[in-house]
Amino acid sequence: MNLEEYKGVFIFAQQVDNELNSISFELLGKGKDLAADLGAEVTAVLLGSGVKGLADELAVYGADRVILVDDPQLADYRTEPYSHGLAAVINEFKPEILLVGATAIGRDLAPRVSARVATGLTADCTVLEIGDFKEKEKQLLMTRPAFGGNTIATIACPDNRPQMATVRPGVMQKNERKEGAKANLVEFNPGFTPDHKYVEILEVVKTPGEEVDIMDAKFLVSGGRGVGSLEGFALLDDLAEALGGSVSASRAVVDAGWKPKDLQVGQTGKTVRPNVYIAAGISGAIQHLAGMEESDIIIAINKDETAPIFDVADYGVVGDLTKILPLLTKRIQAEKAGKR
Ligand SMILES: Cc1cc2nc3c(=O)[nH]c(=O)nc-3n(C[C@H](O)[C@H](O)[C@H](O)COP(=O)(O)OP(=O)(O)OC[C@H]3O[C@@H](n4cnc5c(N)ncnc54)[C@H](O)[C@@H]3O)c2cc1C
């Protein structure tokens, strides 16, 4: 492998049903920073069927170039044709770096592609930067929690290309929209053959998810084991409604079956960055903090004054959440009524 041949930062632009996932814009944001350090361009790789119209949106968020692989075989995500398409793009265009979202699709696609093109992959990165690794300059340094979040590992891939990483949604920042920006569009089709190994999709049944994705909420009222039961969450629902926010939860709550996995914040849940995160009855385990410590304002309510959640909180209330939450809700409702 001649490493010199590999140039530029590529991101996998994930779309489903002809709609780009916001991870694509987050990867473009990070990709831009990395490309600036390397003096390189950012390329978005867009796979799908009838998706050419999405290229402009990728340009608005910072793509200098879009490589489009458009084929009916790519209408719905399936491992085999998508792996073939992305691996073919790598072999043809030789990126130095390739970033993929750590979404359900990205977690399926990236390892398979990395194996096909014989390079390494660092999964679930939270920090990406360009730096020196041993004697080699300008390597991608990929940082991620390891051993259940008890340590942080920084990993490099000095001898193979591309340097591949998956990145958790919600961790990287999007660029500001640059209306009217245009990218250089390159159409490429490596050819797809319907293969007996391909999965045939008979029907797509969508489960009705929560109305608001907790990753988009401005106010989150998050409950932990201290809430005590599913019924106990009524107090959190009331506060979230008064704030115009949503309810989320710790893993203990999800494991207890009180709330669905969709609402879990943390290392094995979602990464959230609301304006205000209220943690009620959550101790603040490192795996939980990994998903919420970037929130603008953190308010912790816990009856144990030594709970680690207070170490990251901007405001802390030591006390029983069953008493404090109704008071907060009442106060906010009164403020709102006063303003009317
Ligand atoms: C590999 C791995 C991945 C993990 N991923 C995640 C993850 O994504 N998200 C996550 O959350 N966890 C995750 N965990 C689990 C994590 O380690 C903790 O076990 C979990 O976060 C604890 O949840 P909790 O804070 O709700 O419960 P607890 O730790 O039991 O804390 C309950 C808190 O409630 C307080 N409390 C009790 N009653 C009241 C009351 N009436 N009023 C006020 N306060 C009260 C208590 O003082 C206590 O601090 C992971 C663990 C591992 C090993």
Side-chain angles (χ1 to χ4, degrees):
M1 185 175 277
N2 179 4
L3 303 193
E4 297 302 312
E5 283 175 21
Y6 289 76
K7 301 262 182 265
V9 178
F10 284 32
I11 67 110
F12 172 66
Q14 183 181 321
Q15 62 77 30
V16 173
D17 293 342
N18 222 324
E19 209 176 294
L20 286 163
N21 185 300
S22 81
I23 184 68
S24 310
F25 308 132
E26 294 167 18
L27 294 180
L28 280 171
K30 185 72 229 176
K32 265 299 209 221
D33 293 347
L34 299 175
D37 289 348
L38 292 167
E41 285 198 332
V42 180
T43 300
V45 184
L46 178 60
L47 273 65
S49 176
V51 292
K52 192 173 179 176
L54 300 177
D56 282 351
E57 192 65 0
L58 292 165
V60 164
Y61 279 98
D64 300 304
R65 175 172 66 160
V66 176
I67 296 174
L68 173 69
V69 184
D70 204 298
D71 193 281
Q73 286 289 339
L74 301 171
D76 288 307
Y77 176 77
R78 285 175 301 159
T79 309
E80 181 58 32
Y82 269 72
S83 302
H84 169 61
L86 188 54
V89 168
I90 293 172
N91 290 332
E92 178 74 17
F93 295 92
K94 301 196 179 344
E96 187 172 4
I97 291 173
L98 173 64
L99 307 181
V100 179
T103 58
I105 285 179
R107 285 169 200 256
D108 182 65
L109 178 66
R112 188 170 291 246
V113 169
S114 73
R116 283 195 189 185
V117 300
T119 190
L121 169 72
T122 306
D124 255 356
C125 296
T126 51
V127 178
L128 293 171
E129 54 199 359
I130 302 296
D132 297 345
F133 181 77
K134 297 190 176 160
E135 293 86 52
K136 299 200 171 173
E137 289 180 346
K138 296 201 170 181
Q139 302 296 305
L140 180 64
L141 304 180
M142 302 169 272
T143 300
R144 55 155 296 159
F147 297 109
N150 290 316
T151 187
I152 298 288
T154 297
I155 296 165
C157 176
D159 301 324
N160 293 72
R161 291 291 181 267
Q163 300 161 93
M164 277 184 73
T166 62
V167 180
R168 293 179 56 121
V171 174
M172 304 299 175
Q173 302 272 28
K174 298 173 194 176
N175 291 317
E176 294 287 317
R177 289 176 65 86
K178 224 177 181 181
E179 299 302 339
K182 290 278 173 216
N184 178 11
L185 182 69
V186 179
E187 297 192 33
F188 172 72
N189 193 328
F192 293 82
T193 40
D195 182 302
H196 67 275
K197 287 188 207 123
Y198 287 0
V199 170
E200 188 187 351
I201 297 178
L202 300 179
E203 192 187 358
V204 178
V205 181
K206 295 197 171 150
T207 48
E210 287 292 316
E211 273 167 28
V212 181
D213 187 336
I214 59 169
M215 289 171 62
D216 298 329
K218 299 271 177 264
F219 293 91
L220 274 181
V221 184
S222 206
R225 203 190 321 258
V227 173
S229 64
L230 170 60
E231 293 69 36
F233 267 85
L235 297 176
L236 284 80
D237 291 337
D238 292 346
L239 179 56
E241 194 187 327
L243 288 167
S246 304
V247 167
S248 55
S250 72
R251 176 158 159 182
V253 166
V254 174
D255 287 349
W258 302 340
K259 288 285 168 188
K261 172 91 175 141
D262 249 19
L263 301 189
Q264 182 186 316
V265 171
Q267 190 190 314
T268 44
K270 291 184 175 169
T271 304
V272 296
R273 210 189 272 258
N275 297 143
V276 180
Y277 186 85
I278 301 177
I282 293 177
S283 58
I286 188 166
Q287 297 90 355
H288 186 80
L289 302 185
M292 46 63 76
E293 61 192 343
E294 297 294 324
S295 305
D296 293 345
I297 296 175
I298 298 170
I299 303 171
I301 305 167
N302 198 303
K303 63 182 186 185
D304 173 7
E305 64 178 13
T306 66
I309 191 74
F310 288 122
D311 298 340
V312 298
D314 299 285
Y315 301 95
V317 186
V318 179
D320 185 346
L321 64 90
T322 59
K323 299 208 170 74
I324 292 155
L325 288 175
L327 291 175
L328 265 175
T329 306
K330 233 176 170 176
R331 181 67 184 266
I332 288 159
Q333 285 167 339
E335 292 271 332
K336 279 166 76 181
K339 278 192 189 145
R340 264 186 222 132

